[in-house]
Amino acid sequence: MLGAMQDWDLRVTRLIDHAAREHAAREIVTHWADGSETRTNWAEVRRDALKMTQALRKLGVTKGDRIATLAMNHSRHLVTWYGAVGVGGVLHTINPRLFDDQLEYIANHAEDQVLLYDAAFQPLVDRMKVKWTTIKRYICFDNGEFEDWIGAEDGETEWASGDERDPCMLCYTSGTTGNPKGVLYQHRSTMLHAITGLQPAIFDMDATTVMLPVVPMFHAASWGLPWSGAAAGIKFVFSAVNDPAVLCDLMNREKVTHSAGVPTVWLATFQHMDATGTTLPTLRHAIIGGSAAPRFMLERLMQSGVNVAHAWGMTETSPIGTTGAKTFDWADKDFAGQVDIKQMQGRVPFGVELRCVDLDDPAKVLLRDGQTSGALQVRGPWVIKRYFKADADATDAEQWFDTGDVAILHPDGTLQLTDRTKDVIKSGGEWISSVELENAAMSHPAVAEAAAIGIYHPKWDERPILVVVKKAGAEVSGDEIKAHLAQSVAKWWLPDAVEFVDQIPHGGTGKVSKKDLREQFREYTLTD
Ligand code: AMP
């Protein structure tokens, strides 16, 4: 026997239908790269998305096709999120900060059919066009091109129908070793994630919310905000530029109540506020995630009466995993005690399960004793089963995803990240591959061995340093090694320092022990 309730499938187009019906006039403001500003609203976003759906159909786009974007945060990007899923397609948000070979790989691997891009990325598009083999149509968001394209349609159409387990979005993460890997979200997983995001401990959103998301729409689905924002009918304020002066000015003019970004963004905002005496009197909820939020940042926001959600998550978890939700005894704690709670990575909302397993014996599940650290695993309805195009394997059934983070779980469920097993470094919210840095360094004739590790940096959270063993009798300087690296990696990947040592620690299997190396450089400090 089945229950006798309605089948209301969890497809994300329901979010925009709801926003357009119940919050039609709620504004979507954009500050564009050229300094101009425009205003639209949920009803118009829906109408434009329907027009886009018609325009995509005319291009021959059908169910399951990938529609890519290369764009900052703005209203036309938001229209595209809903237009792409509306045609039954899969929205693929490409991170423009990746390198050419990664960009080449992911667009071809995704088999993108159409690319919508900001004029600011025209040089990138011109450079990559010859390498992208599947993209049939390029449409620029600026210079009237996008408006003309959808303007030829009337919006009198229906969204594509389908199953709630159909894919709706594809995000690649470079936070793993090897090629970037694709995470293919479903309508259902995205809807459940969007509804969860509304909770007070996470985004705390309702119709009074005015949200300026600094977290880019091209990284980890902007933490799902374009979906959950529609569910709550919030006012969005987008900025296509990330200048703290512009952001602060916008926040005050538009009376922004909520903002979300990585710690580096908040730091830049503080610096601007200190230099100019600017305050943010309307801000009441700040979401910080993607990297550990430093204590002074939490203190400063909390002292000014802002509610802070310090969140942990991953592209692979849609990305919400945990936030610093209040514990039952929150009110009994003094300020320092409350900051202590927020400084850890917080607790799960309903729908996410965490466990830590022994680093050497993954079959051994560790106690939540607040002391033992292990490999953090996660499961739930918006957690990845397997990467895009990866073959199903035995681990699918078990459904515990290995995060590559090392953590302690406390008896009350609080997550405390302590390290990483994955060999990547996160700088200002974006990933740097230590393996690629090492390979590039090892190709220098004077280098016998090289290892890259992340060191805490006050501005970027982490920056790479390169530890090098010279070949016997060889002479080389740190600057020479950096110049050598610059031939094969992007400038922002270059290590902040090159340290020469006699030997690098190795583990039992002969591999470099990053854990021991990080321990060796524990006191090492980098300054701005
Ligand atoms: P991404 O998929 O790029 O969002 O990166 C996810 C990874 O970022 C996680 O596996 C962690 O290593 C790191 N991360 C995310 N949030 C936090 C946090 N609050 N504190 C420390 N590290 C974090």
Side-chain angles (χ1 to χ4, degrees), residues 157-205:
T157 186
E158 301 286 321
W159 307 121
S161 58
D163 192 276
E164 63 180 29
R165 284 185 168 75
D166 285 345
C168 66
M169 187 168 189
L170 179 61
C171 291
Y172 280 75
T173 172
S174 53
T176 54
T177 35
N179 279 323
K181 295 185 175 64
V183 185
L184 189 63
Y185 307 124
Q186 300 162 332
H187 282 262
R188 176 179 185 272
S189 67
T190 304
M191 275 285 257
L192 293 171
H193 180 266
I195 297 165
T196 299
L198 304 179
Q199 294 181 13
I202 306 179
F203 299 134
D204 188 27
M205 293 195 294

Side-chain angles (χ1 to χ4, degrees), residues 240-492:
V241 279
N242 273 342
D243 176 351
V246 171
L247 297 178
C248 286
D249 178 48
L250 261 180
M251 286 199 200
N252 285 331
R253 278 192 291 117
E254 298 296 336
K255 299 192 170 35
V256 167
T257 56
H258 290 50
S259 189
V262 294
T264 303
V265 160
W266 287 103
L267 193 69
T269 308
F270 289 171
Q271 280 168 350
H272 173 78
M273 290 167 74
D274 292 343
T276 58
T278 308
T279 55
L280 300 174
T282 57
L283 188 70
R284 55 171 207 258
H285 194 77
I287 304 110
I288 311 177
S291 293
R295 191 173 181 93
F296 76 88
M297 190 171 282
L298 299 167
E299 281 172 349
R300 178 166 176 166
L301 286 163
M302 287 163 75
Q303 259 154 7
S304 58
V306 175
N307 186 24
V308 184
H310 176 204
W312 166 86
M314 310 176 68
T315 305
E316 290 89 335
T317 64
S318 294
I320 295 171
T322 61
T323 58
K326 289 177 181 165
T327 45
F328 73 92
D329 53 354
W330 176 260
D332 303 332
K333 293 195 185 289
D334 59 10
F335 183 73
Q338 293 181 343
V339 178
D340 286 345
I341 293 181
K342 294 281 179 185
Q343 205 181 351
M344 290 189 277
Q345 277 71 16
R347 295 180 302 149
V348 295
F350 172 72
V352 179
E353 292 180 56
L354 297 179
R355 71 176 189 186
C356 284
V357 298
D358 192 281
L359 281 164
D360 300 315
D361 176 11
K364 188 173 157 207
V365 178
L366 300 176
L367 292 176
R368 295 176 164 223
D369 61 4
Q371 286 168 16
T372 320
S373 71
L376 178 68
Q377 299 187 333
V378 57
R379 73 176 178 190
W382 55 86
V383 175
I384 188 169
K385 190 189 307 196
R386 72 183 88 90
Y387 289 106
F388 182 47
K389 292 188 178 174
D391 294 330
D393 67 24
T395 58
D396 282 5
E398 227 209 303
Q399 298 224 2
W400 279 104
F401 173 73
D402 223 321
T403 63
D405 288 319
V406 179
I408 295 171
L409 282 171
H410 289 256
D412 68 358
T414 300
L415 170 71
Q416 184 183 358
L417 288 202
T418 56
D419 201 357
R420 257 185 223 139
T421 53
K422 47 193 173 191
D423 217 352
V424 277
I425 296 159
K426 205 168 202 188
S427 175
E430 299 292 341
W431 293 107
I432 295 174
S433 159
S434 26
V435 179
E436 278 191 43
L437 277 182
E438 289 156 9
N439 288 344
M442 306 262 247
S443 69
H444 190 285
V447 173
E449 189 167 29
I453 51 170
I455 297 283
Y456 172 73
H457 186 282
K459 179 167 180 199
W460 302 107
D461 193 53
E462 269 179 30
R463 287 293 305 155
I465 67 160
L466 189 74
V467 184
V468 171
V469 181
K470 285 184 219 168
K471 279 191 186 149
E475 266 318 315
V476 64
S477 69
D479 284 343
E480 281 163 354
I481 291 190
K482 279 199 212 171
H484 177 73
L485 294 175
Q487 294 168 17
S488 47
V489 304
K491 210 164 153 244
W492 68 274

Side-chain angles (χ1 to χ4, degrees), residues 194 197-200 203-207 209 211 225 228-229 232 234 236 258:
L198 304 179
Q199 294 181 13
F203 299 134
D204 188 27
M205 293 195 294
D206 61 28
T209 301
M211 162 70 82
L225 285 165
S228 49
I234 66 171
F236 263 127
H258 290 50

Side-chain angles (χ1 to χ4, degrees), residues 59-184:
L59 292 182
V61 171
T62 55
K63 213 175 153 183
D65 282 350
R66 269 74 76 194
I67 298 132
T69 62
L70 200 56
M72 303 301 285
N73 293 359
H74 52 69
S75 57
R76 290 175 202 139
H77 202 172
L78 182 69
V79 167
T80 304
W81 279 45
Y82 285 101
V85 297
V87 74
V90 176
L91 169 75
H92 174 202
T93 46
I94 302 180
N95 183 343
R97 293 186 190 139
L98 299 178
F99 307 149
D100 286 9
D101 54 353
Q102 295 172 316
L103 290 168
E104 177 182 351
Y105 174 84
I106 64 169
N108 290 339
H109 187 261
E111 298 172 67
D112 293 328
Q113 300 291 306
V114 180
L115 176 75
L116 295 110
Y117 64 96
D118 288 353
F121 301 124
Q122 187 70 52
L124 189 162
V125 171
D126 291 343
R127 203 167 65 232
M128 298 305 301
K129 252 183 180 169
V130 286
K131 299 191 173 153
W132 284 331
T133 53
T134 58
I135 302 175
K136 294 200 276 272
R137 179 71 199 266
Y138 292 84
I139 295 148
C140 182
F141 275 126
D142 303 294
N143 315 323
E145 196 177 330
F146 179 76
E147 254 78 23
D148 288 349
W149 178 55
I150 62 167
E153 310 300 330
D154 60 9
E156 294 300 318
T157 186
E158 301 286 321
W159 307 121
S161 58
D163 192 276
E164 63 180 29
R165 284 185 168 75
D166 285 345
C168 66
M169 187 168 189
L170 179 61
C171 291
Y172 280 75
T173 172
S174 53
T176 54
T177 35
N179 279 323
K181 295 185 175 64
V183 185
L184 189 63

